[in-house]
Amino acid sequence: MNVDEFDLDYRLLRLFLTIYDEGSVTAAAHRLGVGQPTVSHGLDRLRQIIGDPLFVRSGRSVAPTAHADEIAPQIRALLQGMRDLTRVVTFDPDDPSHSAHFTIGCNDYEVSVVLPALMQRLQSCKADIRLKVLSISGEDHFVGLLRSGKIDHAISIQSAGKHADIAMQALFREQMRCFYDPGFHDAAPDTLDRYCAADHARVIIGANDVSAIDDLLRATGRSRRTALQVSTFASIPNLIRGTKVIATLPSRLAENVMDGFATCDFPLEFPEYGFAQYWHVRNAANAAHKWLRAEIFRIARGLG
C-alpha cells in the first residue's frame, strides 16, 4: 500500500493522542465511541504513514515508543491549531489584552457627524483600539479599497449599487439646508428668487463636477452662480463667514462645522437621502469588526 505524510488527517492524529493519553487501545475506542477494530485499523494506518510502531504492548496496556513520545507534543499543538481554525476569535472592548486596528474610509461630513461619538466610545474602552481614517471619493473608490483591504470599513451616502462581496447597512437619513452669515443678509434665501440671486459655495468631492442641486435647478429652468467650489465641508465656514455667499449643505452640519451660521429651508423639494456603512464580506464574521459595526449603528440611531 502506497502511503505518504499527506495521508495524515485530523481523525488519525486524534486517534494517536487518545491512545497515547489512555495507554490502551480498548480505552481509546471507548473514549472515541467506536469499536476496537476501528482503532486498531487506524493505528495500523498511522504506523504505515509514520514508519514507527508508535505503541508496544506492556502487560494489559500499551506503551509509547521513543518516537511517539517525541511527536506527541507536536501533534497536540497541531490539533489545537486545527481546532482554532474553526473558532471565531472573540473581542472584548473592555479587556486590556485585546486589540483592534481599524481603517475607515469616509469624508469630512461623516468625520464631523459620526466619528466624534465613535472616538469617545473607543477612548472609553480598555482594549487597545486604534482608528485610521482615509478620504474616499465615491462608491467605485471605496468598493475598490474594501476589496483590496486598504480600508476595513466605509461610511458614505447610501447607494443602490449591488456588489455580491460588499455588505451594506443603512444608518440614517439626511436633508439639505441653506447656510448663511446672518450679518450679511437682510433676508433669508428661502425663496427661489432670493436663492438664485445669491452667490453660492458648493462642495464637490472627487473628480466628478456634478451637483444634484444644480441639476434640480436646471430642471426648473433656473440656475445659480457658484462663487466658490471646494472639496471638503470643513473649509466652507471659514471661507463664507463675513460674506454674502450661501451654502446648501447637509442639515446635521449645523451642529458642528456650520455652528453659528443661520439656516433656512432649501426653496425646492429636495428628496431625503440616506447614509450607510459598508464592509467586505470577508470581515462579516470577524468579532472586532462586528463590534465596530454595532457601535457605528448605535451612534447613527442616536442621530435621530
Side-chain angles (χ1 to χ4, degrees):
M1 180 183 295
N2 294 325
V3 295
D4 61 35
E5 65 272 17
F6 294 108
D7 291 322
L8 285 171
D9 61 22
Y10 179 86
R11 292 180 180 83
L12 286 178
L13 296 177
R14 180 170 175 245
L15 181 143
F16 168 87
L17 275 187
T18 306
I19 299 174
Y20 187 87
D21 291 340
E22 295 291 338
S24 165
V25 171
T26 302
H30 179 74
R31 179 173 162 186
L32 293 171
V34 298
Q36 184 171 329
T38 299
V39 174
S40 298
H41 175 75
L43 180 56
D44 288 341
R45 182 77 173 161
L46 272 168
R47 286 166 169 160
Q48 293 170 5
I49 296 171
I50 295 177
D52 186 85
L54 297 176
F55 301 98
V56 295
R57 289 197 174 277
S58 178
R60 295 185 177 182
S61 302
V62 293
T65 64
H67 186 60
D69 280 331
E70 181 181 347
I71 65 176
Q74 301 174 50
I75 292 177
R76 200 177 302 279
L78 180 60
L79 289 181
Q80 185 58 52
M82 294 174 73
R83 293 187 192 100
D84 290 343
L85 288 175
T86 66
R87 296 172 183 168
V88 177
V89 178
T90 61
F91 176 74
D92 183 354
D94 293 318
D95 187 334
S97 69
H98 286 201
S99 65
H101 296 182
F102 302 113
T103 301
I104 294 181
C106 61
N107 291 312
D108 65 330
Y109 169 84
E110 296 84 10
V111 168
S112 298
V113 173
V114 179
L115 294 197
L118 179 62
M119 274 304 299
Q120 291 173 18
R121 176 67 179 109
L122 300 188
Q123 285 294 294
S124 73
C125 298
K126 295 180 181 178
D128 178 18
I129 307 175
R130 307 184 192 186
L131 184 64
K132 181 178 181 180
V133 180
L134 296 181
S135 296
I136 55 177
S137 58
E139 180 182 359
D140 290 342
H141 186 210
F142 74 69
V143 166
L145 293 176
L146 287 170
R147 285 173 173 164
S148 69
K150 292 181 179 178
I151 62 174
D152 307 305
H153 201 80
I155 307 174
S156 187
I157 292 176
Q158 188 171 340
S159 168
K162 294 183 178 179
H163 306 276
D165 58 337
I166 305 297
M168 181 190 78
Q169 182 183 37
L171 295 177
F172 58 88
R173 306 291 293 173
E174 180 60 288
Q175 59 185 355
M176 302 301 282
R177 297 279 296 173
C178 297
F179 293 85
Y180 60 97
D181 188 328
F184 287 79
H185 287 265
D186 295 330
D190 54 0
T191 69
L192 192 54
D193 286 340
R194 285 198 292 266
Y195 182 86
C196 292
D199 284 343
H200 292 259
R202 70 175 189 172
V203 178
I204 300 294
I205 298 172
N208 192 356
D209 199 33
V210 174
S211 164
I213 292 172
D214 289 316
D215 291 342
L216 182 59
L217 288 169
R218 195 175 299 113
T220 64
R222 306 296 292 265
S223 64
R224 62 177 178 169
R225 178 179 180 272
T226 299
L228 171 68
Q229 179 171 309
V230 294
S231 59
T232 63
F233 294 98
S235 58
I236 290 285
N238 288 336
L239 294 175
I240 72 169
R241 185 177 285 109
T243 77
K244 291 186 177 182
V245 178
I246 70 173
T248 309
L249 305 172
S251 65
R252 285 188 174 84
L253 293 179
E255 302 169 11
N256 39 74
V257 171
M258 301 304 293
D259 184 33
F261 283 80
T263 72
C264 66
D265 291 338
F266 179 59
L268 287 175
E269 191 69 29
F270 192 93
E272 280 191 348
Y273 55 100
F275 281 80
Q277 58 178 336
Y278 302 83
W279 62 94
H280 196 276
V281 293
R282 66 172 170 270
N283 291 324
N286 182 282
H289 287 255
K290 289 172 69 175
W291 175 83
L292 177 69
R293 296 195 297 267
E295 289 299 318
I296 290 174
F297 184 79
R298 179 186 59 79
I299 291 167
R301 282 295 178 259
L303 294 174

